[in-house]
Each structure stands twice: as structure tokens, then as C-alpha cells.
Amino acid sequence: MTLPAPAIAIRRLSKSYGRTEVLHGIDLEIARGATTCLIGPSGSGKSTLLRCIAFLEEATSGTILIDGQPLGFEEQAAGRRVRLPPQRIRKVRSGIGMVFQQFNLWPHMTALGNVTEALVTVKGLSRQEADARGMAQLRRVGLEARARHYPSELSGGQQQRVAIARALALEPEILLFDEPTASLDPELTGEVLNVMRDLGGEGMTMVVVTHEIGFAATVGQRIVFLDHGRVLLNGTPAELFAAPRHPRLTQFLETYLDRGAAMLLKPA
Amino acid sequence: MSFDGSVILAALPAILSGLKVTLGIWVAATALGIALGFVVAAFRHFGPRPLGLALRLAVEVLRGTPFLIQIFLLYFGGPFIGLSLDPVPAGLLGLSLYAAAYFSEIFRAGFLAVPRGHVEAAQCVGLSQAQIVRRILIPEMTMLVLPQCVNMAVILVKETAVLSIIAVPEATAVISALGSQQYAFVESLFLLAVIYWGLVEACGRAGRALETRLSKFRFA
């Protein structure tokens, strides 16, 4: 019996800024159809890793395979790493959607305009067809009624849901979230997490960098704990959070006692 | 001696023709300055480095010298390098170049002010570099730089008065000449002040109206 190929396979991935190496030879496989949460202290490299998967950062060495296809660089027989042509990079990237901490909606376009922009500009759909698809995605995040609003007329939570709809519009295989609720008021995080929970339930492959430990523990099927640019732990929430815990993880969770992680620290 | 506006009003047709020249040069120089300034800013932002440095030097020279000196050099120095222009074209060219230098700086700052994340979001959904410039950077930058552009247009309307020294028949040249002929210096200067202030006020109001209309596109 062969296991299905992972959605994302990361091999010996390192990333340096100047002389500072922030990722040290990461090896990681992301399962298809599952929600994987990347957690860890700030500076642990979790956002950098996610940005490498989105190809917003170029790793210094190592490879990333998306659905078996090399992203950005290909390792050749002699161990040399060559940059792939732009069309191939775009092709592989098109299977990945990204949601940012700061939403990054384009302020001069309506919610619908944000969602349909790439459908028209990149995919070449007619305005009518793009609008129909865009409305379907807005419906999915519960914002059909806000389609004609500009980002400045939407709450933070609504903006982030539009950003999720924008990423979904291109029908990606994989959705990446970079601290999607970190810049939201606490009462607005729920609506965004609910949308993400629904997507996870539909079998979307998601990689979520998050500080929402409660979300990670309840929605994440895999938890990857990064520390100082290395994968320290990788397992199911049950495995990771059950006693005996890794001391570094316990130390990290203790900083979260006031964010609903207290339950995880109770003796099993 | 009393303040007597009638001599000025008697010469209304001449005044209107001067006003027309002022308006024409102002609008044309602002439009050319914006167009050229945008091209310069785009080359400095996206173009090769040597070209960027050369353009930067040109901008620094134009911003670092008085407009009065620039226009003298262009008009009286131009013929030495085979550039003999009549007053109106010389004035228009000089003011446009001066405007372009300032507009290019405004646009350059505008490009830098568009949040990096907005560009990354566009890259993630597959927009090409050219599409990002056209669909994201230019519209967002326009929003950001509108107030400074209105401010620059206001400065330019007043700089048109400098063109009187190379005998461009604009408002200042026409009306102050009239004042000298009729010994109505104060009246003519007063009229000029009112005219420029009126133009500046109108420009400012138009700018604010435009800003209000575009305000829903503001950054969230």
C-alpha cells in the first residue's frame, strides 16, 4: 500500500537573511486535506516558513514540492539548485492561496472587485462570469450582502473574510494563513475562525500560522511546533498537548494561559 | 493719489488675454509635469540603476535651483546650444520641467508608500509585474499622492508669474505693464493678487472635492 503523496513536501529548507540563518534545514510534510497549524514563539521562523511555501520568500537552500512539483527551484542530480522559468513558478504557485495578517485587500476595489480581480486579469474570465464566481465565494464566507462595499467600509473580520474569498476564488489546492486573526479585535476573531473551521471541514488543505492555541488544538489535525528555526515537535494535538509534554512546549503554552490554553495544561 | 480701479477695468480685453495665457500655461505645465514626473518616478522605481541615478541628478538640480534662474538659463542660454524658443514655448517647457521634478518626487514617495503586502497579495493570485503596476500600484499611489499633487498645482499657478521676465504675455506681464502705463501700480498689483488667490482657492476647492469623492477608496 502506498500512502498518498503529501500536499507539500519540504526538504532541508534553510533561509538566511544576510548572515543570520532563521530556518535550519526544515524537513516537513503537510498532509492533504488536513489542517496543519504552525505554532511557536515569535522569531521561531513559522511565518518565514509559510512565506517560503507561498514563494514570497526564497529559501537559501533546500526544496519545496507542491503536489510533487518543485516550487521555484529544482534540485538537479549534481546537487545544484536551479531556478525554474517564471511560467512554471506561476503554474505551481497558482495552486496555493494566501491569507495575510493585515488582510491586504486593495482599497480601491470593492469586496467583489478584490475577489474577481485575478479571475479577470489572470484567468481572462468575462466580467459577468467572474462576478458570478466571486459572489459564490463571498456567499461561502457569508458576505454576499457586502459585495459592493469598499474595504474601508468593512470591519476587520469582514475584510479578512473577503481576503479568504479572494484566495478561494482561484480554487487553490492549498490555503496558507499567516496569523489570520492577529490583527483583529477579540470579538471579531470568531467569525474568521468559523470560516476557517468550515473550510477545514470541507477537506481543504490548510497551513495556519497562528497564536490561537485553542483553534490549533481543536481544528488542527496536525500541530507543528517550531523553535529557533527548527521543527521541534510534529504530531496530532492529542500527542502534543497530552502529558508528558515537551518542556519547551509547556514553557511556550504557559505564556498563553490567558488565551484559553489553560485547559491544555491541566494534568491529563 | 487715490485708489482708482476704472483704468484697469477699461483694459479688460487685454487683462482677459493675459489671464488666458496664465491659465493655458498653468494647465498645460501641470499636465505635462504630471506625465513626465510619472515617467521619471516609474523609471527610478522600476528601471535600471544607472538611469535612476541620472534622473535623480536631474531632479536634484531642478529642485535645487530657483525657478527664476532656470527660466533665464533656458531662454537666454538656450540659443547657445541651438535651442532658440519663443517666450511662450520656453516658459511652458521651463515650467513643465520644473513641475516634473517635483511631481516625480511625489510619485516616487507614493510608490514607496503602497504597502508591500498589497503587492504580495497580487503576486499570490498570479498577477504579473506589469499587471501589478497597472492594477494595484498606480491606483493606490494616486490616492496617496492626490493632496500633494493639488499642493504642487497651487505652487505652479503662482510660479507662472515668473514667466513675465521673459516677456510671456501672461497675467502678471500684461497687468503690471498696464499699471506702469497708467500710473496705477497699486491697483494693478492688487488685481493680480486677487486673481492668483482666486485661482489657488478654486484649485484647492476642486482638489478637496475630488478627495472627498475618492475618500471611500481610502486605506482601510
Side-chain angles (χ1 to χ4, degrees):
Chain A
M1 190 187 111
T2 52
L3 287 167
I8 307 171
I10 299 162
R11 301 263 176 270
R12 297 184 313 283
L13 195 80
S14 295
K15 170 70 185 171
S16 303
Y17 293 105
R19 303 173 102 180
T20 320
E21 192 174 75
V22 293
L23 294 177
H24 312 286
I26 302 268
D27 278 301
L28 184 64
E29 292 194 344
I30 305 286
R32 196 179 305 280
T35 300
T36 303
C37 292
L38 304 183
I39 63 170
S42 54
S44 61
K46 54 194 189 303
S47 278
T48 305
L49 176 59
L50 193 80
R51 290 173 57 82
C52 284
I53 300 172
F55 206 58
L56 291 170
E57 304 279 351
E58 296 184 10
T60 318
S61 65
T63 53
I64 297 175
L65 300 182
I66 305 292
D67 222 351
Q69 294 296 312
L71 172 72
F73 296 91
E74 190 166 40
E75 209 138 80
Q76 290 189 329
R80 281 190 338 143
R81 195 160 158 267
V82 283
R83 201 190 163 87
L84 296 166
Q87 316 89 281
R88 255 190 95 185
I89 294 179
R90 260 205 299 277
K91 181 125 198 320
V92 176
R93 264 184 111 175
S94 69
I96 306 169
M98 175 85 174
V99 176
F100 299 85
Q101 179 180 348
Q102 299 296 339
F103 328 136
N104 290 334
L105 294 181
W106 303 305
H108 57 295
M109 297 180 196
T110 61
L112 186 61
N114 269 275
V115 177
T116 55
E117 175 60 28
L119 293 177
V120 176
T121 316
V122 181
K123 298 270 172 188
L125 297 191
S126 70
R127 173 49 55 199
Q128 209 176 2
E129 201 179 338
D131 281 355
R133 281 216 217 169
M135 286 308 285
Q137 296 303 342
L138 285 173
R139 200 172 304 129
R140 212 164 156 188
V141 298
L143 284 174
E144 217 182 346
R146 295 275 185 272
R148 305 284 167 194
H149 287 60
Y150 285 88
S152 63
E153 300 166 330
L154 300 172
S155 73
Q158 290 171 336
Q159 289 185 54
Q160 190 61 299
R161 282 148 68 198
V162 172
I164 293 172
R166 174 174 69 181
L168 288 172
L170 293 165
E171 292 164 356
E173 305 282 316
I174 299 163
L175 265 192
L176 308 176
F177 294 83
D178 189 6
E179 304 198 23
T181 57
S183 46
L184 293 175
D185 290 340
E187 67 262 38
L188 298 178
T189 59
E191 63 186 67
V192 172
L193 294 179
N194 282 338
V195 167
M196 293 169 63
R197 197 171 277 128
D198 291 347
L199 288 172
E202 291 168 25
M204 173 66 80
T205 306
M206 301 200 290
V207 183
V208 186
V209 169
T210 186
H211 287 126
E212 299 285 339
I213 300 298
F215 174 83
T218 55
V219 178
Q221 278 118 8
R222 299 295 294 188
I223 307 282
V224 176
F225 180 64
L226 280 99
D227 194 30
H228 296 296
R230 290 195 171 80
V231 174
L232 197 59
L233 301 167
N234 179 0
T236 64
E239 289 165 2
L240 256 70
F241 293 131
R245 263 182 312 273
H246 191 282
R248 191 71 188 88
L249 180 62
T250 301
Q251 197 185 6
F252 172 69
L253 290 177
E254 273 164 1
T255 65
Y256 278 89
L257 285 176
D258 56 343
R259 296 206 205 173
M263 58 165 185
L264 302 170
L265 287 176
K266 287 197 188 109
Chain B
M1 204 171 128
S2 64
F3 193 93
D4 179 8
S6 63
V7 284
I8 298 289
L9 291 177
L12 204 56
I15 290 169
L16 286 178
S17 88
L19 203 55
K20 229 167 75 183
V21 173
T22 290
L23 271 173
I25 289 184
W26 174 43
V27 171
T30 303
L32 287 170
I34 286 174
L36 187 58
F38 180 81
V39 172
V40 169
F43 274 120
R44 282 186 69 185
H45 194 75
F46 303 106
R49 214 175 137 69
L51 179 63
L53 288 174
L55 289 171
R56 180 178 158 193
L57 181 68
V59 168
E60 293 302 314
V61 168
L62 285 169
R63 294 203 315 154
T65 53
F67 180 56
L68 183 72
I69 309 293
Q70 291 172 22
I71 206 71
F72 266 139
L73 273 176
L74 178 66
Y75 187 64
F76 296 110
F80 288 101
I81 56 162
L83 189 72
S84 295
L85 292 171
D86 287 337
V88 170
L92 181 58
L93 178 64
L95 193 62
S96 299
L97 290 175
Y98 175 79
Y102 280 92
F103 278 120
S104 79
E105 280 295 290
I106 293 171
F107 293 141
R108 199 176 64 87
F111 277 131
L112 293 173
V114 173
R116 172 111 198 90
H118 293 195
V119 174
E120 290 183 346
Q123 289 170 345
C124 282
V125 293
L127 267 68
S128 67
Q129 184 60 40
Q131 288 167 335
I132 290 173
V133 172
R134 195 162 47 82
R135 301 287 305 167
I136 310 296
L137 282 176
I138 292 177
E140 289 201 23
M141 183 200 68
T142 308
M143 291 301 310
L144 291 167
V145 301
L146 190 63
Q148 289 114 291
C149 285
V150 172
N151 188 41
M152 191 60 216
V154 160
I155 292 172
L156 288 174
V157 73
K158 293 181 287 179
E159 293 289 8
T160 57
V162 172
L163 302 180
S164 61
I165 57 142
I166 57 164
V168 173
E170 47 68 67
T172 298
V174 170
I175 297 172
S176 62
L178 205 67
S180 310
Q181 289 157 18
Q182 307 284 341
Y183 295 102
F185 300 109
V186 177
E187 289 88 340
S188 63
L189 291 172
F190 181 75
L191 177 64
L192 277 170
V194 169
I195 285 173
Y196 286 111
W197 182 71
L199 286 175
V200 166
E201 191 61 22
C203 179
R205 273 169 197 272
R208 277 191 296 277
L210 193 59
E211 273 173 55
T212 310
R213 277 194 61 169
L214 297 178
S215 69
K216 68 177 167 189
F217 308 131
R218 76 183 179 274
F219 282 50

